[in-house]
Amino acid sequence: MSGLWRARFLHGELKNMKIKVRFLAYFRDLFGEREKEVRLPEGAHLRQLLEVLCDSPERRAQVFVEEKKLNPHAVIMKNGRPVQSSGGLDALLADGDVIAVFPYLGGG
Amino acid sequence: MEVEREWKRYERQLGLIGKHGQKKLKRAKVFIAGAGGLGTAVLTYLAAAGIGKIEIVDKDSVHLSNLNRQILFSEKDVGKEKAWAAVKKLRSLNPHIELKAKTEDLLLTCLYERVSSFDVLVDALDNFSARYILNRASLHQGIPLIHGAVRGFYGQITTVLPGKTACLRCLFPGSPDLVQPSVLGPVCGLVGCLQATEVIKLILGLGSLLENRLLLYDGLRGTSEEVEVQRRPDCQDCGGPAFFMGNSRT
């Protein structure tokens, strides 16, 4: 969270956004719930959302690699499109966005 | 007499789809990529249902470690080419349909012309490199593609209608390396059966297909959920007019 952005939020200059997050398959067990609503100040990116959600080493390990990149074994979709193709961790979030997190399945 | 026997074998589904529907299945041509955990389930049910022409492509031979999930094979098939072993078994299941086997690697194949005469393509593959090739063939020829994938206790399925729905690359623009993921046989069977159901619905024009919906099955919880998905205008496979050359058949 940048200092300026945080300061603007704390001074009430930024509105809250509601982001719905859905956890599927083993992410549901990892995060202990099927769905969660997260409030973030406007201008937040996916990175900020995931920082809020990943509050344990186990959760971070499943979502991030090398602390700065998305784990390629986690599929994260924003409104039905993979974030990998729309900015990754820097994808800008908007009020009402739906984020789905599920494992990458590739076997047959 | 032979014709009567053929109708008799479908007796329990004629009430659902009628003789007209059964004839549609008989006229249908389905291309199945992969004769593994998903493919053997898809093949079994499509052959039993009376799909008139099925082509199976797989590059591998049967290994002992396949037998926990690849239900068409037995110990005596170990070492045999999967596509041919599958055809042999399926011929005894339903001698009234046309089956064709091909042992080849999709990564080394020009698929566009190969699949042009088929009505449906089934993705029962085990890697995304080959899936992308099948995806492009589907888009290029305008042929629907039924995608399935599994890992552990989880499975997923979606139906790609070229020009209408998100394609595989829209959903999965890149793929991580997966080294032989563990997988439970019944999960393969379940996802394969869902794929076979999509194929039959698509051919008969029944129900609602998994269009722009990715269904995720959670075998540990015994639940399934959907993720609504969308086409990506920037998709490298279907995003622009350059790639979508064929006329959509959907």
Side-chain angles (χ1 to χ4, degrees):
Chain A
M1 230 181 253
S2 78
L4 179 60
W5 183 69
R6 177 187 281 269
R8 288 184 64 200
F9 177 59
L10 292 175
H11 282 88
E13 292 177 28
L14 301 176
K15 292 178 186 169
N16 254 329
M17 304 186 293
K18 288 181 191 171
I19 311 294
K20 186 162 104 176
V21 187
R22 295 179 63 200
F23 302 107
L24 298 105
Y26 61 70
F27 286 98
R28 186 168 161 186
D29 297 314
L30 184 69
F31 286 90
E33 52 198 329
R34 178 173 171 268
E35 203 171 286
K36 186 183 181 86
E37 187 176 274
V38 180
R39 288 169 184 266
L40 288 171
E42 63 182 4
H45 296 84
L46 180 69
R47 185 188 308 277
Q48 276 97 43
L49 174 70
L50 295 179
E51 292 287 352
V52 169
L53 294 171
C54 297
D55 54 0
S56 71
E58 294 77 19
R59 291 177 178 178
R60 290 194 71 81
Q62 291 294 330
V63 174
F64 293 101
V65 285
E66 302 165 10
E67 291 296 306
K68 290 178 182 172
K69 293 181 187 167
L70 284 173
N71 186 336
H73 292 280
V75 179
I76 301 181
M77 288 198 174
K78 185 181 89 167
N79 303 329
R81 291 182 176 139
V83 295
Q84 187 183 344
S85 63
S86 60
L89 287 168
D90 295 323
L92 192 63
L93 300 177
D95 189 38
D97 277 350
V98 178
I99 304 292
V101 186
F102 55 94
Y104 174 90
L105 310 180
Chain B
M1 188 65 179
E2 196 59 27
V3 175
E4 280 174 29
R5 278 183 65 79
E6 188 175 359
W7 281 115
K8 181 70 177 172
R9 88 168 24 238
Y10 304 125
E11 189 176 77
R12 295 292 296 276
Q13 65 193 41
L14 288 176
L16 298 171
I17 65 174
K19 283 196 168 183
H20 180 66
Q22 193 63 52
K23 286 177 183 172
K24 275 189 178 175
L25 294 185
K26 181 83 177 192
R27 285 195 299 272
K29 299 169 189 169
V30 180
F31 181 92
I32 299 180
L38 297 173
T40 52
V42 178
L43 283 162
T44 301
Y45 280 96
L46 291 186
I51 298 294
K53 182 179 175 184
I54 299 174
E55 180 164 332
I56 309 153
V57 176
D58 196 293
K59 65 180 169 59
D60 289 326
S61 300
V62 178
H63 292 83
L64 197 57
S65 61
N66 297 149
L67 301 185
N68 77 317
R69 64 198 184 283
Q70 301 183 12
I71 54 168
L72 277 176
F73 310 128
S74 55
E75 288 218 5
K76 66 180 183 343
D77 293 318
V78 170
K80 294 178 183 170
E81 293 173 357
K82 281 185 181 178
W84 290 98
V87 159
K88 189 177 176 190
K89 190 75 183 285
L90 293 167
R91 281 199 176 120
S92 64
L93 172 63
N94 191 345
H96 303 286
I97 63 172
E98 189 182 333
L99 292 152
K100 192 174 170 186
K102 193 97 177 177
T103 300
E104 64 180 359
D105 187 345
L106 290 194
L107 297 178
L108 307 172
T109 306
C110 182
L111 264 190
Y112 292 3
E113 291 307 317
R114 280 277 306 284
V115 301
S116 63
S117 65
F118 288 89
D119 301 304
V120 191
L121 311 180
V122 177
D123 164 15
L125 293 159
D126 63 359
N127 67 90
F128 264 84
S129 300
R131 281 187 171 104
Y132 292 143
I133 289 172
L134 192 65
N135 184 55
R136 285 197 290 271
S138 155
L139 295 169
H140 191 273
Q141 299 294 346
I143 304 172
L145 170 66
I146 315 295
H147 159 75
V150 288
R151 180 174 157 202
F153 290 91
Y154 310 106
Q156 70 187 25
I157 171 172
T158 192
T159 293
V160 174
L161 303 180
K164 185 176 178 189
T165 69
C167 78
L168 268 190
R169 184 81 78 164
C170 288
L171 307 185
F172 306 104
S175 63
D177 295 330
L178 286 177
V179 183
Q180 292 192 324
S182 299
V183 65
L184 202 68
V187 175
C188 295
L190 190 139
V191 174
C193 287
L194 290 173
Q195 289 181 278
T197 308
E198 284 290 286
V199 171
I200 291 170
K201 283 160 51 188
L202 198 150
I203 291 166
L204 298 178
L206 294 175
S208 303
L209 298 169
L210 285 164
E211 298 174 44
N212 283 331
R213 294 185 289 150
L214 181 71
L215 186 147
L216 278 137
Y217 172 71
D218 180 338
L220 280 178
R221 289 184 180 272
T223 58
S224 60
E225 293 192 67
E226 288 179 16
V227 176
E228 285 187 29
V229 294
Q230 294 189 61
R231 283 184 78 182
R232 284 191 295 116
D234 63 337
C235 174
Q236 68 189 86
D237 280 5
C238 78
F243 211 92
F244 185 62
M245 306 290 285
N247 295 316
S248 175
R249 305 179 191 187
T250 56

